[in-house]
Amino acid sequence: AACPPPARRVIVAARALLFWALVYSYCGVCACIAGLRLLWSIGRRPGETFRWVVRENPPACLNDPSLGTHCYVRIKDSGLRFHYVAAGERGKPLMLLLHGFPEFWYSWRHQLREFKSEYRVVALDLRGYGETDAPSHKENYKLDCLITDIKDILECLGYNKCVLIGHDWGGMIAWLVAICYPEMVTKLIVVNFPHPSVFTEYILRHPSQLIKSGYYFFFQMPWFPEFMFTVNDFKILKSLFTSQATGIGRKGCRLTAEDIEAYLYVFSQPGALTGPINHYRNIFSCLPLQHHEVIMPTLLLWGERDAFMEVEMAEITRIYIKNHFRLTILSEASHWLQQDQPDIVNKLIWTFLKEETTRKRE
C-alpha cells in the first residue's frame, strides 16, 4: 500500500538528512586526509610546501595559430564575457567543445586541428575558467546556470544547433544540455563521463566509486581545496596529468613540458582555481535529475584506465539513450582520453559523424 502523505514526507526528509550527513561526513574525511598530506609535506620540505610561482607570460603553444583564433563573446542576460578558440570557416556546422577539470580550452588542441576542415570548431573556456569571467559567489555556478551558458553562447555565435562534445565535467554539462535543449544538439559525444543519473545512482551503491569521487566532497569546503592545489608549486595539478596512477599512460600521447606550462600559466593566476572548484560546490543540491532521456544519436568514449570513473558506468548509460548509441572503450587509455589517444579519438568521432549522416540520408 502507498504511504500516506505525512509518512511520505517523513521518509523523504529522512533520506535527505541521511544524504547530507553522508556528504558532509565524507567531506570531513577527505579534509582530514588532505590535512595529513599537508603536514607530511611541511615536515619533509617546509620551504617547498608553500612555494607558489605565478607564471607571468603564456607559453607559445597557447598562441599557436594552427589551433585557431582567440575570440570573446559577452552574454547579454548574464553579462559574462566568455573566451573561446575557434578554428574552421564561419558558416560551417558548429562543433562545440566543453573541457573538464582541471582543464581549459587547450585540452581540445588535437580536435581543433582535426575537425576544422568540415566544422566551425569552438573550444570554450567554461564559466570561471581561464580568460572567461569568474563570478565570485558559488551560487553563480549552479548547473542550470552552466546549462544556460551553452544555450546562450550557441545563439551568440549565430547557430541554433551543434555537434556537442564534452569531457569529464564538460561531459556532465553536455549531457544536461542534450537533455534540457535536445533541439540544439544534432549529435552528442561524451568522453569519460556517464549519464548523470547513472553517476548519482552508481556512486551510492559502489563504495569504490565513492572513494574515487572523493574530490567532489573535498571541494565542498571553502578555500582549502584551492590552497591544496598551490602546495609545492601546484604539484597536485602536475601529477594529475603525469603520475603513474592518474596521468596519461605509457602508450599515450604524453604532455610536453610546454603543455604542462600552459596549464600552470592558467591555474597559477591569483583566484584562478576558485571558479573551477565552485562548479562542484553546487552539485549535491542539483542532483538527481528530474528528466533523463537523451534523444539524439550519442557516442560515448571511455579510457578504461580512468582513475576517477569506473568503466561499468559506461555500459549502464545505454539505458538512457533513446536513439542510436555507440560505446567505445579504449583499454590502454586514461581519463584524459582526447589528449591521451588523440588519433584514435578523432578517428572514432569522424566515423560516428559520417555514419549518422549516411544513416539519415538512407
Side-chain angles (χ1 to χ4, degrees):
C3 293
R8 192 181 304 118
R9 286 195 294 270
V10 170
I11 292 172
V12 170
R15 286 178 175 174
L17 181 62
L18 288 172
F19 174 75
W20 286 108
L22 170 64
V23 168
Y24 287 111
S25 296
Y26 196 29
C27 173
V29 170
C30 293
C32 289
I33 293 172
L36 290 173
R37 288 175 175 170
L38 176 61
L39 292 174
W40 175 256
S41 178
I42 293 172
R44 293 183 63 196
R45 295 183 299 273
E48 291 292 313
T49 298
F50 299 105
R51 188 169 69 91
W52 166 15
V53 179
V54 177
R55 276 66 180 177
E56 299 291 344
N57 300 306
C61 61
L62 292 183
N63 292 307
D64 183 346
S66 72
L67 297 179
T69 305
H70 290 261
C71 306
Y72 301 85
V73 61
R74 188 171 296 278
I75 304 302
K76 185 177 181 180
D77 290 343
S78 68
L80 299 180
R81 189 184 75 155
F82 283 79
H83 169 253
Y84 64 92
V85 173
E89 297 175 8
R90 297 179 186 272
K92 289 183 176 180
L94 178 64
M95 176 181 285
L96 186 58
L97 308 174
L98 310 180
H99 62 79
F101 174 88
E103 298 176 282
F104 62 114
W105 70 266
Y106 187 70
S107 68
W108 297 110
R109 58 197 176 280
H110 303 292
Q111 289 67 44
L112 282 162
R113 292 191 183 102
E114 178 70 21
F115 295 101
K116 65 183 180 182
S117 60
E118 293 189 22
Y119 289 89
R120 175 69 168 173
V121 188
V122 170
L124 187 68
D125 274 345
L126 295 175
R127 177 183 291 222
Y129 282 85
E131 294 185 58
T132 291
D133 286 348
S136 57
H137 299 294
K138 72 173 186 177
E139 290 76 17
N140 295 123
Y141 295 86
K142 289 184 177 179
L143 287 174
D144 57 350
C145 296
L146 307 180
I147 298 166
T148 303
D149 283 344
I150 306 307
K151 178 183 76 71
D152 291 342
I153 287 165
L154 204 67
E155 293 171 352
C156 287
L157 293 175
Y159 289 85
N160 56 23
K161 58 184 178 180
C162 69
V163 172
L164 186 60
I165 305 181
H167 168 248
D168 183 66
W169 183 259
M172 162 78 90
I173 297 172
W175 282 116
L176 296 175
V177 171
I179 292 167
C180 297
Y181 299 106
E183 71 282 358
M184 303 187 79
V185 182
T186 57
K187 300 175 181 69
L188 176 65
I189 301 170
V190 179
V191 183
N192 278 78
F193 201 93
H195 186 287
S197 294
V198 173
F199 179 68
T200 54
E201 293 164 5
Y202 189 91
I203 195 173
L204 293 174
R205 293 185 173 92
H206 296 81
S208 55
Q209 181 58 54
L210 189 68
I211 294 170
K212 290 180 179 180
S213 299
Y215 62 98
Y216 278 66
F217 298 85
F218 178 53
F219 287 171
Q220 303 310 303
M221 297 187 65
W223 71 264
F224 191 46
E226 288 94 322
F227 169 74
M228 286 300 297
F229 265 90
T230 68
V231 167
N232 289 311
D233 194 29
F234 298 89
K235 181 180 179 180
I236 290 176
L237 181 66
K238 288 179 276 191
S239 67
L240 281 173
F241 295 106
T242 61
S243 72
Q244 185 174 356
T246 65
I248 292 173
R250 70 180 188 278
K251 294 186 178 181
C253 186
R254 293 182 181 274
L255 301 188
T256 66
E258 191 176 38
D259 292 335
I260 296 295
E261 277 303 307
Y263 281 92
L264 292 173
Y265 168 75
V266 168
F267 290 107
S268 69
Q269 305 307 313
L273 283 159
T274 298
I277 292 176
N278 274 341
H279 280 247
Y280 292 87
R281 287 180 169 136
N282 293 285
I283 188 170
F284 294 111
S285 60
C286 299
L287 296 175
L289 304 176
Q290 292 182 339
H291 305 289
H292 307 276
E293 292 187 354
V294 175
I295 63 173
M296 69 286 301
T298 301
L299 171 66
L300 179 57
L301 301 176
W302 203 281
E304 190 173 29
R305 297 182 64 184
D306 190 327
F308 309 101
M309 295 283 172
E310 296 191 351
V311 69
E312 287 78 12
M313 291 188 286
E315 184 60 42
I316 302 172
T317 290
R318 185 183 303 274
I319 65 176
Y320 291 101
I321 315 302
K322 306 306 177 184
N323 202 314
H324 173 63
F325 177 67
R326 180 177 292 277
L327 167 64
T328 301
I329 300 172
L330 303 182
S331 60
E332 293 296 327
S334 70
H335 176 76
W336 320 103
L337 188 56
Q338 79 274 21
Q339 300 185 76
D340 187 325
Q341 305 283 349
D343 293 341
I344 297 174
V345 167
N346 291 346
K347 183 178 179 181
L348 290 168
I349 292 175
W350 274 126
T351 300
F352 174 72
L353 295 174
K354 294 182 181 298
E355 174 188 61
E356 290 307 308
T357 301
T358 303
R359 183 171 300 186
K360 283 194 171 186
R361 286 174 182 169
E362 294 173 354

